[in-house]
Amino acid sequence: MNSSDRIEFSEEPVAEPEAPPDGYESVAKAPDDRGPGRFLRMLTGVDEQMLAWVPTERARYTALGGVVLGTAVLAGFSLWNALSAVFGRNHWWLALPVLAWMLFVLNLDRWLVATSTGSQWRRRASVLLPRLVVAVFLGIVVAEPLVLKIFHTAIEQHIQDSREKELDDLRGNIVACNPLPTDPRTTPVVPPTDCRPFVVTAVTAPSSVAGQLAAAKRDAADLQKQIGADTAELRRLRELTRRECAGERGAGLSGRTGEGPRCRRLERDANAYEASHPIAENNARLAALRTTITELERQVRTGTEGAERQRAAVIDQRVAEMKSHQGRIGFLERLDALGDLTDRKPSLLAATWLIRAFFILIDCLPVLVKFMTGATAYDRLVDQRIASTERLYEKATRSAETAVGEDLDIQRHRARARGDMERRTIDFEVRRHTADLEAEMNKAVQALARQLRRPTASRHRAGDDQSSPRPRNGHLNGTQPLEMTQSDTDI
């Protein structure tokens, strides 16, 4: 048996188990409806073929699809308002993220409604709660831009007022931290606690001249006060002398007419007081001080006007810089403004939360409507279909498992048989090879024996030629004849 005569086994592929069947085919057929009602029901994830068994449920699920579509449209409008507030105006390309957001909310609500099926109350409640939480968070996200849109007039006015107040505070702080010589009739501005951000080094006020002016005004005020007191006292003394000399009666008066001793004494006292108090010289000094004050005020006014112009230019520059930083009213600024308004007005706070709750409720409507309608006939059919599918799948899986097990047993038996055949083939080839080697060895031994016999025959022929006697019984010189034993043929 040659090596080419080996037995070959065909390896047939193991049959895969068939997929579980899709259940039963509905006897009732879905209507060929391609209108908006079919589209709205598609948004709820309803099976039209199964819904054909309960056609009275079509109106319910069509309305539910409208609710799902309405929440998606409301979410898109909310994002449009939010993006418009962020970018400051409406752009055509805003429709792309708005459309993507609408599709996301639509698909999320579709999932929430489609998975909230089942006729058992506990199962429906366990399904409702997590989906309701998701809907509430989504409603909060959707509601906030809509609330900002409703109160946008008050919010923008509050932001404008806040910005103007910031600009006024900046102007006041710069003026307070960079004071100029002011008129004494005005009240000096009290600077803020920390003036470092508002100090302007470019403003140079005439401080030396202002100091001279202040000193001159103080001297003039003191001199004016002294002149007034001296003049009043001299006037009193002159009046008392006149009354004494005229003979008037009163406290400290004699009541005698004419220049008596008392009259002359009072006149001497008045002249001595006038001589000891230089009222005329003081009036001349006061006039000179007023002239000096006028000149110093002119110099201060000239220097102050220049400093005021410098300070006004710095204020305008800082105000313009702050305005450029303010820019458009952004989304976060609107949120902060709404928070400030609600903190000031409790009624506005209540109104905003009512509006938020309203929009959150609208966003939760798909799940709430699905739950409030209770278990419908369609839900009971879904339960039966799921139970039937599970049973069929279990049977199909067991059948496939049995078939795969049988195929594996057959493959294992085939592998064992193939191994036995291979071992027998190998044993047969070993024995045949051993026999071939033995045959070749026998041939070699026989050839060697023939070669050994040839010299003996040659010697016999030479003896015959010499007429030597033939040995008896085939023996030569008493030797035994060469015989081949069985052991000589074995190697």
Side-chain angles (χ1 to χ4, degrees):
M1 183 175 180
N2 298 326
S3 60
S4 61
D5 297 335
R6 296 177 183 177
I7 301 175
E8 300 292 337
F9 294 93
S10 61
E11 297 183 358
E12 298 178 357
V14 180
E16 296 292 338
E18 296 181 358
D22 291 335
Y24 54 87
E25 295 294 334
S26 176
V27 177
K29 293 184 178 180
D32 190 10
D33 183 12
R34 301 297 179 184
R38 180 71 174 267
F39 172 74
L40 293 177
R41 290 192 297 273
M42 182 186 68
L43 298 181
T44 63
V46 72
D47 187 358
E48 290 288 341
Q49 187 176 2
M50 186 175 296
L51 191 62
W53 288 94
V54 280
T56 57
E57 299 286 340
R58 285 199 182 95
R60 185 195 306 270
Y61 284 96
T62 301
L64 184 58
V67 174
V68 173
L69 181 61
T71 56
V73 172
L74 187 66
F77 182 69
S78 173
L79 183 63
W80 181 275
N81 291 325
L83 294 179
S84 299
V86 171
F87 294 101
R89 60 176 181 174
N90 295 326
H91 297 276
W92 64 267
W93 51 265
L94 294 180
L96 298 178
V98 168
L99 181 61
W101 175 247
M102 286 180 59
L103 293 177
F104 172 76
V105 175
L106 184 67
N107 189 60
L108 180 61
D109 287 340
R110 185 175 185 269
W111 171 77
L112 293 175
V113 172
T115 55
S116 301
T117 57
S119 58
Q120 298 181 0
W121 183 87
R122 291 184 178 179
R123 183 174 182 273
R124 290 173 63 82
S126 63
V127 169
L128 170 71
L129 291 179
R131 284 156 178 76
L132 190 60
V133 171
V134 173
V136 168
F137 278 102
L138 184 63
I140 293 174
V141 174
V142 171
E144 200 63 26
L146 298 177
V147 172
L148 295 177
K149 183 65 177 178
I150 292 175
F151 296 102
H152 75 281
T153 302
I155 290 174
E156 291 180 357
Q157 184 62 42
H158 178 74
I159 293 174
Q160 293 296 341
D161 295 341
S162 300
R163 291 183 173 183
E164 288 297 330
K165 185 178 182 302
E166 290 179 358
L167 297 177
D168 293 339
D169 292 342
L170 177 62
R171 295 187 185 96
N173 290 331
I174 293 177
V175 171
C177 293
N178 301 273
L180 298 176
T182 57
D183 190 77
R185 292 171 296 180
T186 62
T187 303
V189 180
V190 179
T193 305
D194 190 2
C195 281
R196 285 177 295 179
F198 307 103
V199 173
V200 180
T201 57
V203 177
T204 58
S207 57
S208 61
V209 179
Q212 296 176 9
L213 176 61
K217 286 183 177 181
R218 286 193 301 271
D219 294 342
D222 295 340
L223 187 58
Q224 178 68 38
K225 184 178 179 180
Q226 182 181 357
I227 292 173
D230 293 344
T231 303
E233 181 63 20
L234 180 61
R235 188 181 296 113
R236 187 186 68 81
L237 293 175
R238 294 292 185 189
E239 180 65 17
L240 185 61
T241 302
R242 184 191 65 78
R243 292 179 62 190
E244 175 64 29
C245 294
E248 295 181 1
R249 295 182 181 275
L253 299 177
S254 62
R256 296 178 181 179
T257 305
E259 294 183 0
R262 186 179 292 273
C263 176
R264 289 191 295 270
R265 183 177 60 80
L266 290 176
E267 187 175 1
R268 286 195 302 270
D269 291 342
N271 292 332
Y273 184 84
E274 184 178 6
S276 62
H277 293 78
I279 297 176
E281 290 82 354
N282 288 339
N283 283 326
R285 287 179 56 198
L286 180 60
L289 280 176
R290 287 177 176 173
T291 302
T292 303
I293 289 173
T294 302
E295 178 62 23
L296 292 175
E297 285 181 345
R298 185 188 64 79
Q299 296 178 9
V300 169
R301 185 167 52 254
T302 303
T304 302
E305 289 176 355
E308 287 180 350
R309 286 192 297 269
Q310 293 178 1
R311 189 176 63 183
V314 173
I315 291 174
D316 293 340
Q317 179 183 359
R318 297 283 294 272
V319 168
E321 183 179 355
M322 179 174 284
K323 285 184 177 180
S324 65
H325 291 166
Q326 289 176 347
R328 297 189 300 267
I329 300 177
F331 186 76
L332 294 178
E333 195 172 5
R334 292 175 185 271
L335 289 176
D336 292 339
L338 181 61
D340 293 340
L341 290 174
T342 53
D343 291 340
R344 297 177 183 178
K345 298 180 180 180
S347 59
L348 183 60
L349 177 63
T352 54
W353 276 108
L354 285 176
I355 294 174
R356 287 191 184 100
F358 174 72
F359 287 123
I360 292 172
L361 179 63
I362 289 178
D363 197 74
C364 295
L365 276 181
V367 179
L368 292 177
V369 169
K370 177 67 177 178
F371 186 75
M372 288 186 298
T373 53
T376 62
Y378 177 80
D379 292 330
R380 289 189 289 273
L381 290 181
V382 169
D383 288 341
Q384 295 176 11
R385 180 67 177 272
I386 293 175
S388 176
T389 303
E390 289 178 353
R391 291 193 299 269
L392 292 174
Y393 180 78
E394 184 179 1
K395 292 181 179 180
T397 303
R398 289 180 179 177
S399 299
E401 183 180 359
T402 302
V404 171
E406 293 294 337
D407 290 338
L408 291 177
D409 291 339
I410 293 173
Q411 290 181 9
R412 185 167 54 253
H413 183 70
R414 181 181 291 114
R416 289 176 178 176
R418 184 183 296 111
D420 293 340
M421 295 299 295
E422 290 291 339
R423 285 192 292 271
R424 293 174 183 176
T425 302
I426 293 172
D427 293 340
F428 174 76
E429 290 181 354
V430 169
R431 288 194 296 271
R432 185 178 63 180
H433 182 66
T434 302
D436 292 340
L437 290 177
E438 291 177 353
E440 292 294 333
M441 191 178 302
N442 291 331
K443 291 179 180 180
V445 170
Q446 292 175 4
L448 180 59
R450 284 193 299 270
Q451 292 178 1
L452 293 175
R453 289 193 191 102
R454 286 194 191 101
T456 305
S458 299
R459 287 194 295 271
H460 289 170
R461 285 193 298 271
D464 292 339
D465 293 341
Q466 296 176 2
S467 299
S468 61
R470 177 182 296 274
R472 291 177 298 178
N473 297 329
H475 292 87
L476 181 60
N477 297 326
T479 62
Q480 295 293 332
L482 181 62
E483 294 181 0
M484 299 296 293
T485 64
Q486 180 64 34
S487 60
D488 295 332
T489 60
D490 295 333
I491 297 176

